[in-house]
Amino acid sequence: MAMEMRRIFLRKCNEKICEPDEVMYAIVMNGLSKRGHTQKPLSLLRLMEQGNTKPKTIHYNIVIDALCNDGNSDTAINFLNEMKQKGIHPVISTYNSLIDSLCKLGQWEMVKNLFSEMVNLNMYPDVRTFNILTDGLCKEGKVEDAEEVMKQMVEKGVEPNVITYNVIMDGYCLRGQLYKARRIFYILIDKGIEPTIFSYNILINGYCKKKKIDKAMQLFCEISQKGLKPDIVSYNTILQGLFEVGRIGVAKQLFVEMVSTGPVPNLSTHNTLLDGYFKYGLVEEAMSLFNKLERKTENIDIVSYNIIINGLCKNGKLDEAYAIFEKLSSVGLILNVRTYNTMITGFCLQGLLDEAKDMLRKMEGDNCLPNNVTYNVIVQGYLRCRKINEMVTFMNEMTGRGFSFDATTAKLLVKEISENTSILEMIPKLHTEKK
């Protein structure tokens, strides 16, 4: 749609059917920017300069925002400087786009410079500016700094909004500091700001990750008491948390409730159920759900198949897992490295090392390059079966590709060395090749 609009727009310009005004330019440039086109809004900006309609702040803002979304902050700053040189005044949204981009890149010195520049232009940061800054700090784990920024907001007369509090709560939850996250939640309420469903979801997720499922469930129930409705994220988070602590019966009841009164389960919901059923050996229930999903092809993807293959392998049903693996290409799905690794792991667990090796060569033939996990799984397989000569071949191949041992491989190797010291001769060689 945006491309068609641009073609019509340019044709009319070339045919001189109409002289586009600044509003027409802005509409087309914004449409292109929203669809991920960076260079096309820029080319229209240059086209404006050649005609009677000169670019204004809004047109530069669209180009700067597009460049920032593309991660091209250096060029975006050049456009800011170009604006000022031409006497076109930047506004708060101009700086917000740039600060957001620079925060994501961790370029804090440049962020500081832009803040100073804004103040010098008598343009004080608004709540969005501060929210961008707090979000950037929290994502880098600097949550105390983010909270300090929030205090400065208040001192400068800019009231934090629910987004500000949510960002800081999420920052503390990511660090596992739930008591601090909960404190921010209560400050939010004390300020008379109504928590959103997103506020609750942040805390629920934090408690689930810490396996404090009772606290998470308490918050989940509180959502309805506050006149809100749990959304798909609320349900999916709680379901995953319940399976994580082995409360399968409650998870099943919650899913039934979700189907009857909650949001429509999505692919993430079903994948959580499949993974949970397999984790606790409920293979029949997992396969029953899988068969229902498979009949509705829009409800299943390669992630779901990876879960199924992994679950079957770990529950001793290697033949069934391989049968599903074999049919994946025929249903139009592209196998990824995780799919192959899962199948290789299944073979290694059963001691079928030739099959694992064949699968490794197959994935290379299918242009799916093995990764560090692939080689660690195979080396572990050979170590467990004490096939040292074959293991050495894969060790050398592994290090030749720049991969290294994970903790499990290292532990198995140490155990084998304690019983067979001749393997030590290989270790210096491996270290040398890695340098």
Side-chain angles (χ1 to χ4, degrees):
M1 184 66 182
M3 293 299 296
E4 183 61 27
M5 187 189 299
R6 178 174 178 270
R7 279 195 291 270
I8 293 169
F9 178 81
L10 290 175
R11 191 178 72 244
K12 288 183 181 293
C13 291
N14 291 332
E15 293 173 358
K16 301 193 186 300
I17 294 173
C18 68
E19 183 70 27
D21 61 13
E22 61 190 51
V23 175
M24 290 176 65
Y25 271 107
I27 290 170
V28 176
M29 288 169 69
N30 191 54
L32 290 165
S33 175
K34 295 295 183 191
R35 284 160 181 80
H37 301 288
T38 304
Q39 293 303 316
K40 286 163 187 172
L42 173 55
S43 66
L44 287 176
L45 180 76
R46 297 308 183 206
L47 185 65
M48 288 182 77
E49 294 172 328
Q50 297 168 17
N52 297 321
T53 307
K54 298 302 178 186
K56 294 190 175 179
T57 302
I58 186 173
H59 305 101
Y60 272 94
N61 278 358
I62 291 167
V63 170
I64 287 171
D65 193 56
L67 289 165
C68 287
N69 288 335
D70 206 32
N72 199 345
S73 57
D74 289 342
T75 307
I77 288 172
N78 290 339
F79 270 90
L80 172 67
N81 294 329
E82 183 181 309
M83 283 179 77
K84 292 184 289 186
Q85 288 167 7
K86 292 182 177 180
I88 300 169
H89 299 293
V91 292
I92 193 73
S93 58
T94 319
Y95 285 96
N96 284 346
S97 292
L98 287 162
I99 289 169
D100 186 35
S101 178
L102 292 168
C103 281
K104 287 172 180 172
L105 295 170
Q107 297 183 12
W108 299 107
E109 194 60 37
M110 293 183 73
V111 169
K112 184 180 175 182
N113 292 339
L114 284 177
F115 260 80
S116 300
E117 188 176 303
M118 289 169 71
V119 175
N120 291 337
L121 291 170
N122 295 317
M123 190 188 307
Y124 202 77
D126 62 7
V127 68
R128 173 161 165 72
T129 320
F130 281 112
N131 286 348
I132 290 167
L133 184 57
T134 53
D135 185 55
L137 288 167
C138 286
K139 282 185 167 61
E140 288 211 353
K142 301 174 181 177
V143 195
E144 285 85 1
D145 292 345
E147 195 169 348
E148 188 60 36
V149 167
M150 186 170 69
K151 289 176 185 174
Q152 290 174 19
M153 287 174 70
V154 177
E155 290 170 6
K156 300 294 184 182
V158 181
E159 279 300 314
N161 59 16
V162 70
I163 295 171
T164 321
Y165 290 102
N166 285 347
V167 163
I168 293 175
M169 273 196 297
D170 192 40
Y172 280 127
C173 283
L174 288 172
R175 290 198 344 195
Q177 295 175 309
L178 298 176
Y179 65 99
K180 289 187 177 182
R182 194 72 185 240
R183 175 177 57 80
I184 298 295
F185 184 74
Y186 286 131
I187 292 173
L188 169 72
I189 294 170
D190 290 343
K191 291 281 186 182
I193 302 171
E194 288 295 324
T196 61
I197 190 66
F198 187 61
S199 312
Y200 280 100
N201 287 345
I202 288 169
L203 280 177
I204 288 169
N205 185 52
Y207 280 118
C208 284
K209 285 189 180 303
K210 281 287 186 177
K211 297 186 180 181
K212 296 184 176 181
I213 198 67
D214 288 334
K215 291 277 190 182
M217 287 295 290
Q218 183 183 339
L219 281 167
F220 183 81
C221 294
E222 192 178 305
I223 293 173
S224 300
Q225 294 166 11
K226 296 293 183 181
L228 298 170
K229 288 191 73 173
D231 63 8
I232 191 71
V233 176
S234 316
Y235 276 99
N236 287 351
T237 305
I238 283 285
L239 281 169
Q240 192 164 9
L242 288 166
F243 277 117
E244 192 66 31
V245 297
R247 292 173 66 172
I248 306 160
V250 181
K252 288 181 180 179
Q253 289 171 10
L254 189 68
F255 180 65
V256 170
E257 175 194 311
M258 183 181 183
V259 171
S260 61
T261 61
V264 177
N266 62 10
L267 187 57
S268 179
T269 318
H270 291 130
N271 285 344
T272 297
L273 288 167
L274 288 169
D275 195 45
Y277 288 156
F278 278 121
K279 182 178 179 179
Y280 294 101
L282 304 175
V283 178
E284 288 186 13
E285 291 184 55
M287 292 309 294
S288 174
L289 175 59
F290 171 65
N291 291 332
K292 287 176 187 174
L293 293 174
E294 208 173 26
R295 286 194 288 271
K296 300 177 181 178
T297 51
E298 72 277 7
N299 290 334
I300 195 161
D301 64 2
I302 193 63
V303 176
S304 307
Y305 278 103
N306 287 346
I307 291 170
I308 294 294
I309 292 168
N310 182 56
L312 289 170
C313 285
K314 287 187 174 175
N315 281 277
K317 297 186 178 293
L318 185 62
D319 290 342
E320 290 179 38
Y322 187 65
I324 289 171
F325 175 88
E326 283 285 270
K327 75 172 186 180
L328 284 180
S329 299
S330 64
V331 298
L333 288 171
I334 298 173
L335 283 66
N336 58 29
V337 68
R338 189 178 182 87
T339 319
Y340 284 102
N341 286 350
T342 302
M343 203 66 245
I344 288 169
T345 303
F347 285 133
C348 287
L349 287 173
Q350 295 290 328
L352 301 171
L353 301 179
D354 288 341
E355 286 81 353
K357 182 173 68 174
D358 290 343
M359 186 63 66
L360 169 64
R361 302 312 174 204
K362 174 178 169 55
M363 70 186 293
E364 291 174 322
D366 291 341
N367 294 318
C368 182
L369 295 178
N371 61 11
N372 199 59
V373 175
T374 319
Y375 277 98
N376 271 287
V377 167
I378 287 184
V379 169
Q380 288 166 25
Y382 279 103
L383 275 169
R384 286 191 179 99
C385 291
R386 298 198 161 183
K387 295 194 173 183
I388 304 305
N389 291 333
E390 294 92 331
M391 180 268 292
V392 171
T393 301
F394 282 105
M395 270 184 162
N396 291 328
E397 192 174 317
M398 178 181 184
T399 52
R401 295 190 180 210
F403 298 136
S404 57
F405 300 145
D406 63 19
T408 304
T409 308
K411 185 178 178 181
L412 287 170
L413 190 57
V414 168
K415 182 177 180 294
E416 190 62 33
I417 288 170
S418 69
E419 299 176 17
N420 182 3
T421 55
S422 63
I423 299 174
L424 273 170
E425 297 173 9
M426 294 180 288
I427 305 300
K429 180 182 175 185
L430 292 173
H431 285 307
T432 303
E433 289 183 357
K434 283 177 72 178
K435 287 181 180 178

